[in-house]
Amino acid sequence: MSLASVVRAEEKLMLPTYDRHKILFDRGRGVYLRDSHGRRHLDFLSGIGVNALGHGHPAIQATVKHQAGRLIHVSNLFFHEYQAELAARLTRISGLDRSFFCNSGTEAWEGALKLARAYARAQNSNGRKPKWRILALANSFHGRTFGSLATTGQAKYRDPFAPLLPGVSFVAFNDLEDLQRQFDGSVCAIGMETIQGEGGIRPVSQEFLRLARKLTASTGALLILDEIQCGLGRTGRHFAYQHYGIRPDIVTVAKPLAAGLPLGAILTTERVARAIHPGMHGTTFGGGPLTCAVAIQFLRLMERLLPHVRKAGSYFRSQLEKLKASHPCVCEVRGMGLMLGMELDSSELANSVVNRLMERGILINRTNETVLRFLPPYIVQKKHIDQVIKELNAALSSLCSIPSCGKRQKSIARSQA
Ligand SMILES: Cc1ncc(COP(=O)(O)O)c(C=O)c1O
């Protein structure tokens, strides 16, 4: 099928949820994708943080082939051999005790919210009113299902579907005073992305995360971290919260976990897990033998790549910082490891740069209007980073106009206040 015929058919047959770029991909190898015209694209987006090992990794291919030939699905009514092993690996690297497997990021986050409510209820079986409020962050993104939307602090995702789950309040990003002011004994959980992804690659501050940990610990509320985009090696450590020296009560992961197959997980402590009993939560597909076998293989490979992610990430960041120094339209470079963002001074410019890079065979995207997002696979090499920097430099040189970063930064501060 040609690109034109696929576009025509989709326009007629699909729900119009996506505004896709007009490229038809049909194969991938390493850091490259190939389109239907045989053109090569350097993939610095990894399917939005999913293909962390790049495309066509031989060990992943071998595991998929082997396991697909043996057993793909049994449901959670029965045992198979991989859930326990995967749970053992995830709990070991996270410092948590128990796992639950599902199919996607939003489903992991939904489950985490349910767990927080169930835990609060279990703590108050003596007749006191359970804690029930949830504090989430302005500018956050947790997914598209109702609970996730209710905790997503961006009107454009929420408003078309209101009313949403009650009991959620939003705290201004990294605002210690606002967090302190909104937290009280009715809060059952504070939930946040350790690094906001869709919100423009914004790491929470050390002080903010520590305060959230301190407040929740003081009342028996839970700290839930969404590491669906920033976890599992993306920042050069197993989890982004490990850069902060704290341990949350619940963590959600998904994107890279099964190297492109759909798998998410909730990780939590023994204490919280005691609030869940058979029948309270579940899934038909989640944690099947195929996805779990692949996830075990992914975690083995990820382990060896962590030092490389740190080194490649710090080199990439230093090169982006150099571009910032020479292009006044670059407002800020943010992120950790291989989760990096470059904020430009207008959404039009960011859009033009993404399109210019795409014309030059480099895939990145724009998030939060003005931010170029880079999520290359963990196997990326210096030469790939150099190529992106060269093309980015050329694009900024020809597209940057009058700098207005100051204006843009002030308007963000105002909208978050
Ligand atoms: C931080 C974060 N949480 C949750 C989600 C939702 O994940 P999914 O699209 O797999 O439902 C995403 C997806 O981009 C995400 O970045």
Side-chain angles (χ1 to χ4, degrees):
M1 254 185 153
S2 69
L3 171 61
S5 62
V6 169
V7 170
R8 257 197 319 276
E10 285 208 5
E11 273 169 7
K12 196 162 149 233
L13 298 168
M14 303 282 291
L15 269 189
T17 47
Y18 303 111
D19 185 14
R20 302 191 208 273
H21 295 280
K22 297 239 174 355
I23 309 175
L24 177 66
F25 286 118
D26 56 18
R27 69 199 62 197
R29 175 70 56 192
V31 293
Y32 293 102
L33 280 162
R34 203 169 279 275
D35 69 24
S36 52
H37 301 295
R39 191 163 175 247
R40 211 166 70 144
H41 301 250
L42 179 55
D43 184 3
F44 261 48
L45 190 56
S46 307
I48 323 183
V50 169
N51 301 304
L53 301 175
H55 302 277
H57 193 289
I60 296 296
Q61 277 189 348
T63 308
V64 170
K65 232 181 191 164
H66 173 75
Q67 190 54 38
R70 282 183 72 203
L71 187 65
I72 292 176
H73 176 77
V74 287
S75 88
N76 283 300
L77 296 177
F78 304 100
F79 292 97
H80 65 73
E81 61 195 295
Y82 303 113
Q83 279 202 11
E85 184 182 343
L86 180 56
R89 286 176 184 271
L90 286 169
T91 52
R92 191 164 58 240
I93 61 175
S94 63
L96 293 162
D97 306 313
R98 287 186 179 257
S99 307
F100 173 83
F101 298 113
C102 55
N103 306 284
S104 65
T106 198
E107 206 186 322
W109 190 250
E110 290 284 335
L113 299 177
K114 282 176 72 179
L115 202 47
R117 285 274 174 88
Y119 176 75
R121 196 166 283 268
Q123 295 304 99
N124 288 272
S125 50
N126 57 4
R128 270 180 296 153
K129 191 171 183 301
K131 303 175 196 306
W132 65 292
R133 286 177 60 229
I134 294 167
L135 297 187
L137 263 57
N139 202 42
S140 58
F141 182 83
H142 296 292
R144 309 282 192 160
T145 51
F146 267 102
S148 299
L149 272 185
T151 46
T152 286
Q154 299 191 55
K156 67 177 177 185
Y157 297 115
R158 302 159 52 82
D159 288 357
F161 305 102
L164 302 173
L165 184 77
V168 180
S169 314
F170 292 99
V171 175
F173 186 70
N174 277 343
D175 186 329
L176 303 182
E177 266 174 43
D178 196 31
L179 177 60
Q180 190 91 53
R181 191 174 56 77
Q182 296 207 50
F183 186 85
D184 62 25
S186 66
V187 171
C188 71
I190 302 178
M192 69 184 90
E193 299 154 85
T194 318
I195 305 174
Q196 289 190 337
E198 300 302 306
I201 315 292
R202 296 175 202 277
V204 291
S205 71
Q206 181 86 6
E207 299 74 25
F208 190 82
L209 192 52
R210 280 181 183 261
L211 179 61
R213 179 66 289 182
K214 194 172 126 210
L215 292 172
T216 45
S218 71
T219 64
L222 301 181
L223 176 63
I224 314 177
L225 292 182
D226 179 341
E227 297 235 353
I228 287 161
Q229 192 167 142
C230 64
L232 297 177
R234 175 60 58 194
T235 65
R237 301 194 65 165
H238 295 114
F239 294 89
Y241 63 80
Q242 291 164 341
H243 295 275
Y244 293 77
I246 60 113
R247 192 186 76 147
D249 301 295
I250 305 179
V251 181
T252 56
V253 289
K255 290 181 182 286
L257 180 55
L261 297 181
L263 182 66
I266 306 169
L267 309 172
T268 192
T269 61
E270 186 63 42
R271 187 166 56 93
V272 174
R274 277 193 224 116
I276 286 286
H277 304 291
M280 283 173 74
H281 193 56
T283 157
T284 300
F285 288 112
L290 178 62
T291 49
C292 287
V294 173
I296 290 167
Q297 185 62 268
F298 167 74
L299 290 178
R300 272 195 207 114
L301 297 162
M302 175 201 72
E303 197 64 48
R304 287 182 232 149
L305 283 166
L306 290 178
H308 175 74
V309 171
R310 289 194 287 272
K311 195 166 161 217
S314 100
Y315 175 70
F316 192 10
R317 190 186 178 122
S318 69
Q319 299 305 101
L320 291 172
E321 294 283 3
K322 276 191 198 156
L323 291 185
K324 175 177 179 280
S326 54
H327 296 283
C329 59
V330 178
C331 305
E332 199 176 7
V333 173
R334 297 188 289 264
M336 292 185 200
L338 287 172
M339 179 173 184
L340 294 169
M342 174 181 262
E343 174 138 23
L344 303 184
D345 67 4
S346 79
S347 58
E348 297 75 27
L349 174 62
N351 203 27
S352 306
V353 172
V354 168
N355 289 334
R356 178 68 61 91
L357 258 62
M358 251 179 214
E359 285 160 19
R360 305 289 303 159
I362 292 167
L363 300 180
I364 60 164
N365 87 334
R366 176 178 68 122
T367 189
N368 205 239
E369 297 296 321
T370 51
V371 181
L372 306 180
R373 172 166 53 178
F374 306 95
L375 297 170
Y378 302 172
I379 54 167
V380 70
Q381 298 295 320
K382 178 175 176 295
K383 64 179 180 192
H384 306 125
I385 295 171
D386 288 342
Q387 188 188 340
V388 168
I389 294 292
K390 183 168 152 247
E391 295 295 347
L392 195 51
N393 187 30
L396 292 170
S397 300
S398 74
L399 296 167
C400 266
S401 57
I402 304 136
S404 56
C405 285
K407 252 193 269 163
R408 161 85 188 148
Q409 297 293 16
K410 273 186 210 130
S411 86
I412 289 172
R414 266 201 307 276
S415 74
Q416 288 181 354

